Amino acid sequence: MTGFLIHPLDPLVFGSGRPFTSVPGSRVTSRSLPPPSTLAGAVRTEAGRDANGRFDISQIETLLAEAVYGPLLAVDADSPELALPSPADAIRLRGDVSEEHLLRRRVPLELSDGDYVSTHHLAPVGSVITDDRKEVKSPPAFWTQRDLLSWLVDPPPPVETRPLSEHWGISGPDAEVRIHVRVDRRSNLADEGGLFSTEGRRFVGRRHGELVALAMYGETTADLPLPSHAVIGGEGRLSRLASCDRLVPEIPKVIVDSARNGFVRAYLATPLPLEDGTWQPTGVARIVGQAHGPPVVISGWSMAPLTRTFGYEAARNSTARSESPDRPQGGPKPVRRLFPAGSVFFLELSGSEDARESFVRDRWGASLLEGQDARDGFGLTLFGTWSGNCHPLALEDSP
């Protein structure tokens, strides 16, 4: 795998999946980060260019076999560091002192006799205690790699809260809105009242109240020319690509020990396709409970011929945009629903201790999936410790 950083030269636009037209008053919104398939397409496009800078369509099958992992947010400094999505099993609360934040865990809960929840026979996941503290309305969306590893390795007990003295997370990339005017094609004059706006993401954020430069990090097996420039996202905006050492840390021994004992948490660093309301693991893993936010919805345009089905059902009865032999005959991709990055699965592992260890080692910093979705970077995973216990609700509220 070759590591690389993407340094946007302008605010980038990553569509939210909503239809957009230049109707007066309309606005295009942007995600904070593109879905993995967007990054995979951009990287393969750059890797497939010939000496004249034109994409060689005969290389499509070869390029689709190359893995592209990402995108992950990174703090763009002299020594880049990953900034990963806030884990869904962490509750961020306001403390008694101004500006103080507290962390509490969500864990699988033990149901009483006669209780039933419609969660595919999974244990509900939540806090075991309640109090009158309010959740932080708009917490930072990303945690530093150091803080996330600390949470994965040694989270607080379920009945306690952990004060955050310096952990304020990282917010960003910041949204930047630009106003446009619709132009009449016949007169080349602006339409009266034809204003619309587009939202892009400028890759700056805040940590401890200070501005920091951000970038996107990825890894690929493709022969990507570095350094180079590439168009990523909508509006044809440029980014600079540069080589980078691997930023994903090695798996801590305590997590391997937890796996050998038969229980781990699986944390998603990138979204994972959602099938029938959950994810069905293969091999030695079984889901006990899951914590996640609302699903992410994506679509897009396939530049590969739709006669090829890779990881999902190709759009049917679609027509090619161009009949030119120099262009691939693609079409619209079907809409897909994904578990958002930051989702957490509580897993019970079976088999021998060596098989359990291999499960987490083989998938640490890699995909939980197989096939094209895995090569496109969906479901990149880190693991955390878990005792395997389902906890009863506390009988009394915390003070």
Side-chain angles (χ1 to χ4, degrees):
M1 283 282 192
T2 299
F4 60 92
L5 282 175
I6 299 173
H7 306 272
L9 303 180
D10 212 21
L12 301 186
V13 178
F14 309 122
S16 62
R18 297 179 179 177
F20 172 73
T21 64
S22 58
V23 172
S26 62
R27 178 175 178 174
V28 110
T29 56
S30 176
R31 309 176 196 270
S32 296
L33 291 175
S37 50
T38 297
L39 177 67
V43 168
R44 291 177 181 133
T45 298
E46 295 306 308
R49 297 190 186 278
D50 60 21
N52 296 319
R54 300 187 65 181
F55 182 75
D56 183 0
I57 64 173
S58 66
Q59 297 298 313
I60 287 179
E61 293 290 332
T62 301
L63 292 169
L64 285 171
E66 302 289 353
V68 182
Y69 287 172
L72 303 177
L73 194 67
V75 179
D76 189 10
D78 294 335
S79 299
E81 179 187 14
L82 290 180
L84 296 160
S86 173
D89 64 338
I91 307 173
R92 198 174 184 117
L93 303 172
R94 291 195 176 278
D96 298 328
V97 181
S98 177
E99 301 300 322
E100 181 187 32
H101 285 193
L102 307 171
L103 275 186
R104 181 179 296 158
R105 288 178 64 191
R106 289 187 176 98
V107 293
L109 302 177
E110 183 179 282
L111 294 177
S112 303
D113 292 340
D115 290 344
Y116 174 78
V117 289
S118 180
T119 55
H120 296 267
H121 306 290
L122 303 180
V125 175
S127 174
V128 300
I129 57 177
T130 60
D131 59 34
D132 57 359
R133 296 186 180 100
K134 295 183 178 179
E135 290 193 37
V136 177
K137 288 185 177 180
S138 300
F142 298 91
W143 289 16
T144 64
Q145 174 183 303
R146 180 190 63 183
D147 292 326
L148 180 67
L149 279 179
S150 175
W151 179 263
L152 294 176
V153 168
D154 183 28
V159 295
E160 296 181 9
T161 56
R162 176 174 291 178
L164 303 178
S165 57
E166 296 183 354
H167 176 171
W168 293 101
I170 295 176
S171 61
D174 289 350
E176 182 176 294
V177 178
R178 295 184 178 183
I179 307 298
H180 309 267
V181 62
R182 188 174 62 187
V183 175
D184 188 301
R185 294 185 178 181
R186 292 172 295 181
S187 64
N188 288 329
L189 298 176
D191 281 352
E192 184 176 353
L195 295 177
F196 61 98
S197 60
T198 58
E199 178 185 277
R201 294 287 175 166
R202 184 172 291 279
F203 274 69
V204 294
R206 288 167 179 79
R207 178 171 59 180
H208 307 311
E210 298 182 358
L211 288 175
V212 292
L214 303 175
M216 286 185 288
Y217 170 79
E219 299 175 356
T220 183
T221 59
D223 186 12
L224 181 64
L226 296 172
S228 63
H229 291 80
V231 172
I232 298 177
E235 301 290 314
R237 298 179 183 178
L238 281 175
S239 295
R240 178 171 59 88
L241 278 63
S243 60
C244 177
D245 293 334
R246 193 167 195 257
L247 299 184
V248 178
E250 296 296 325
I251 184 170
K253 181 179 183 299
V254 65
I255 294 177
V256 174
D257 292 340
S258 183
R260 292 182 70 88
N261 290 332
F263 302 97
V264 289
R265 288 174 290 153
Y267 162 86
L268 295 183
T270 62
L272 176 79
L274 188 159
E275 305 293 344
D276 298 326
T278 187
W279 161 65
Q280 301 297 334
T282 58
V284 301
R286 181 182 73 86
I287 299 177
V288 176
Q290 57 192 36
H292 57 84
V296 175
V297 180
I298 66 169
S299 183
W301 186 271
S302 173
M303 297 303 294
L306 287 174
T307 54
R308 185 189 192 282
T309 301
F310 37 97
Y312 45 83
E313 184 180 0
R316 296 180 178 179
N317 302 321
S318 60
T319 57
R321 294 181 67 182
S322 171
E323 299 299 332
S324 169
D326 296 330
R327 297 189 60 180
Q329 307 301 299
K333 295 180 180 178
V335 174
R336 308 184 76 192
R337 299 171 71 237
L338 314 172
F339 284 108
S343 299
V344 174
F345 298 93
F346 296 83
L347 301 182
E348 178 183 3
L349 305 181
S350 59
S352 66
E353 290 187 355
D354 289 344
R356 300 170 193 169
E357 179 177 342
S358 296
F359 179 85
V360 295
R361 285 193 180 278
D362 294 346
R363 291 163 178 80
W364 177 267
S367 178
L368 284 173
L369 306 171
E370 299 177 355
Q372 192 62 43
D373 276 340
R375 292 189 290 272
D376 287 349
F378 289 99
L380 297 189
T381 307
L382 302 177
F383 293 95
T385 59
W386 179 42
S387 66
N389 295 329
C390 291
H391 298 265
L393 291 172
L395 297 179
E396 297 181 0
D397 291 349
S398 67

